[in-house]
Amino acid sequence: MRNACRTGLPLVAVMLLLLSGCATGPPAVVPEPEPVAALPEPAPPPVVEAEPEPAPAPPPEPARAEIALVLDTSTPAHAAVADEIVLALPPRRYRVTRFTTDAAPELEALRSRRVTIVAVGPGAVRAARAALPDKPLVFCQVPAHDEALQSGPPIFGVQTLPPLELQLKSWQSVDPTLRTIALIVSASGAALAEEARRAASSLAKDLLVEISASDRETLYLFRRLATTVDGLWLLPDNDALSPPVLRELLAYAPSRGIGVLTFNEALLARGALLTATAVPADVAATVAHVLERVVAGRTAELEPMTPLSAAEFAVNVEMAATLGLPPVALQRWVTREPD
């Protein structure tokens, strides 16, 4: 206190300086807080791989249907159709065994088995029905199919002739002057004649139909019609036609300026203008279509006869020139519906 009084500072001032911290030492340093260490990231949960789902078992292969293919060997064309049928039936779905009409014992051995028959030709239908009367049957290459259908159900057929409207369209393409056509059939061909009427009507052609009781009457009826027609349509009919009468018709018609449409290519050399025949591959595809439904039991909406959809045509170029028709661009071609 004495010192303070000696310096001339009042005592009160010295006390105030001491109270306010006006001391000669540095101010107290406040320590900074220790840094907080970052917490480690939590480890990801372990990945547990799921067991793979077992692959579904493939569906069992359906049992193959057993097919007895019976061939009428009386006509070489039947063999070509039978070959195409075998190609049209997938081996994974069908097991096909071929028989001929003289294999009655082998066919009869199938009576206790579940088998479906495919018959190619009229003789094949008769042989199959005799040996296996109760088995489902699909037939083709049978012109007189009414008789075949009467051999007892279950039986279904494929038409022998190409679509009649296709025949007329191609005939008109070869002969643009075609207007009036004669068609002579037996009583058994009346249903076919009615179908031909509808086809001709759709193309605005006049079709004169006559019913014949014999081959000689057919020749007589045509001679009577020859003055009023410019076309003769010959359809297969064993009751109305015979080889001698066919030869006479094909010789007489061109002499009257009449073109003839026939069902057999061999008749071109006899004087026919045009032939329309079925296409074997089309017959086979149609048989396969019908057979699929018969094997599956889906026959409720299946017609007794299923039509074809294609036709092969061949033209006698020399006869076309003789009749004064325009030059023919093609001598052979195939037409399919709806071409």
Side-chain angles (χ1 to χ4, degrees):
M1 286 293 186
R2 293 190 194 97
N3 292 339
C5 291
R6 289 191 189 107
T7 58
L9 292 172
L11 179 59
V12 177
V14 173
M15 295 299 290
L16 291 173
L17 287 172
L18 291 173
L19 291 173
S20 64
C22 183
T24 57
V29 178
V30 180
E32 293 186 5
E34 291 288 333
V36 179
L39 295 175
E41 292 288 336
V47 177
V48 179
E49 293 187 2
E51 289 292 329
E53 290 287 337
E61 287 286 333
R64 293 192 298 168
E66 186 170 3
I67 307 300
L69 177 61
V70 186
L71 174 63
D72 180 347
T73 57
S74 64
T75 302
H78 293 164
V81 172
D83 291 342
E84 291 288 346
I85 290 173
V86 173
L87 293 175
L89 299 179
R92 62 184 177 81
R93 297 176 58 190
Y94 301 100
R95 182 171 62 251
V96 181
T97 306
R98 295 178 66 151
F99 301 88
T100 56
T101 52
D102 58 357
E106 291 86 348
L107 285 171
E108 290 173 357
L110 301 176
R111 286 192 175 183
S112 62
R113 292 159 67 172
R114 184 177 181 179
V115 62
T116 303
I117 305 167
V118 173
V120 183
V125 175
R126 290 190 292 270
R129 269 297 182 244
L132 303 168
D134 301 324
K135 302 298 183 183
L137 188 149
V138 177
F139 68 83
C140 63
Q141 303 301 98
V142 180
H145 58 257
D146 287 344
E147 178 183 348
L149 291 173
Q150 292 170 5
S151 63
I155 185 167
F156 300 90
V158 170
Q159 291 283 5
T160 301
L161 294 175
L164 300 185
E165 189 169 336
L166 275 187
Q167 295 190 40
L168 286 175
K169 286 180 178 178
S170 290
W171 192 1
Q172 186 176 21
S173 71
V174 173
D175 183 0
T177 66
L178 185 66
R179 293 291 180 273
T180 307
I181 303 166
L183 175 62
I184 304 172
V185 296
S186 66
S188 62
L192 186 60
E194 187 57 35
E195 183 182 344
R197 284 185 196 273
R198 292 193 294 269
S201 175
S202 68
L203 297 175
K205 305 299 177 188
D206 292 327
L207 186 67
L208 306 182
V209 178
E210 293 284 351
I211 303 299
S212 171
S214 68
D215 58 341
R216 300 311 301 179
E217 186 178 4
T218 297
L219 184 59
Y220 164 77
L221 291 171
F222 176 64
R223 289 180 180 273
R224 194 183 68 186
L225 293 172
T227 58
T228 57
V229 301
D230 44 29
L232 172 62
W233 196 356
L234 295 178
L235 297 175
D237 191 324
N238 290 335
D239 294 328
L241 296 172
S242 65
V245 165
L246 272 174
R247 287 194 291 270
E248 290 191 55
L249 288 171
L250 292 171
Y252 182 71
S255 69
R256 306 291 299 186
I258 298 171
V260 183
L261 168 63
T262 73
F263 52 88
N264 190 325
E265 193 169 332
L267 298 178
L268 288 177
R270 295 286 185 179
L273 168 65
L274 182 70
T275 61
T277 55
V279 179
D282 181 51
V283 177
T286 309
V287 168
H289 167 81
V290 175
L291 184 63
E292 178 183 9
R293 283 152 179 76
V294 171
V295 169
R298 296 185 287 110
T299 60
E301 297 181 0
L302 192 61
E303 294 292 332
M305 296 297 297
T306 299
L308 299 174
S309 59
E312 182 173 359
F313 297 93
V315 177
N316 183 335
V317 177
E318 294 180 358
M319 182 55 61
T322 298
L323 295 173
L325 301 179
V328 179
L330 296 173
Q331 296 184 34
R332 183 184 300 276
W333 70 95
V334 172
T335 301
R336 300 181 183 276
E337 290 185 329
D339 291 354

